[in-house]
Structures are given as structure tokens and as C-alpha cells.
């Protein structure tokens, strides 16, 4: 039995807690965006740009991006560990599982860096 996503001394409880906290961040961000879309003024490009130039909106958006990445890592790690290795292929699938997890980590890292670039880059 694997006790934690990273195997660095954390417990399954901490992974569960990370999922719950990230879900709350994503819920709050979703409600914020839905509120802006449905209850805010008519939004064109200039209004969206003005909204996302505010530091607090950028920080909130960055928290949402990091929450998606953290939640996705925990879910995909669990799926690859439980289903790819143990249910589908057995112990011989460890190299395949590690390759899949490395690919997932690279993709998630790329998305986070891309999100940082979009939010904090100079868009003149």
C-alpha cells in the first residue's frame, strides 16, 4: 500500500486535505468568474483586461491554476498507481507507470509555467 502521493513522508490524509482545500479554491474561483460574467457589466476585451490587471485577480487566478495542478497530480497519480500498475498489468508495469507519471508531471509543470506567463507576462 502506498501511503502518499510523493512518498516523502506525507500521509494519505494530507493528500485528502490538499484535494479538499484545492476544491474550495476552485469553487470560489468558479463562483467569482460566473458572478463577473452574469452579474457584472457588459464585458469586452478592455474590461477583461482591466479586471485581470488587478493584482488580487492575478493572485486568485494563480491560486486556481495551482489548485488545478495539485488536484490533478493527486488524482492522476492515484489512477496510475492503482489501475495502471495493480489492476491492469501487475508489478511489471512499474516502468510504464513511472513514465506515465513523469509525462503527467511535465505536462502539469508546463501548464503552471504557461499560466504564470499568461497572468504575469507583459502584454502591452
Amino acid at each position: 500500500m502506498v501511503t502518499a502521493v510523493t512518498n516523502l513522508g506525507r500521509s494519505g490524509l494530507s493528500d485528502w486535505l490538499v484535494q479538499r482545500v484545492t476544491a474550495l479554491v476552485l469553487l470560489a474561483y468558479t463562483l467569482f468568474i460566473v458572478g463577473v460574467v452574469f452579474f457584472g457589466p457588459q464585458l469586452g476585451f478592455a474590461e477583461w483586461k482591466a479586471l485581470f490587471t488587478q493584482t488580487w485577480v492575478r493572485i486568485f487566478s494563480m491560486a486556481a491554476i495551482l489548485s488545478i495542478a495539485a488536484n490533478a497530480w493527486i488524482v492522476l497519480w492515484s489512477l496510475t498507481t492503482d489501475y495502471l500498475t495493480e489492476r491492469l498489468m501487475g508489478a511489471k508495469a512499474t516502468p510504464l507507470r513511472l513514465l506515465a507519471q513523469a509525462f503527467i508531471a511535465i505536462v502539469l509543470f508546463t501548464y503552471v509555467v504557461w499560466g504564470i506567463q499568461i497572468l504575469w507576462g507583459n502584454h502591452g
Side-chain angles (χ1 to χ4, degrees), residues 49 52-53 58 62 112-124:
K49 185 174 179 180
F52 278 90
T53 57
R58 288 181 175 183
M62 196 68 242
V112 168
V113 170
W114 194 9
I116 291 169
Q117 182 182 8
I118 290 168
L119 286 172
W120 299 97
N122 186 8
H123 302 293

Side-chain angles (χ1 to χ4, degrees), residues 36-97:
V36 168
V37 169
F38 288 112
F39 302 111
Q42 184 69 19
L43 296 174
F45 177 77
E47 291 80 14
W48 277 109
K49 185 174 179 180
L51 178 66
F52 278 90
T53 57
Q54 297 179 50
T55 303
W56 73 271
V57 175
R58 288 181 175 183
I59 291 170
F60 196 18
S61 298
M62 196 68 242
I65 290 169
L66 292 173
S67 293
I68 289 170
N71 204 309
W73 174 250
I74 291 171
V75 169
L76 293 171
W77 182 90
S78 297
L79 286 173
T80 56
T81 300
D82 291 345
Y83 294 102
L84 184 63
T85 303
E86 296 185 15
R87 290 188 177 46
L88 294 180
M89 300 181 174
K92 294 180 183 179
T94 299
L96 180 61
R97 175 182 55 87

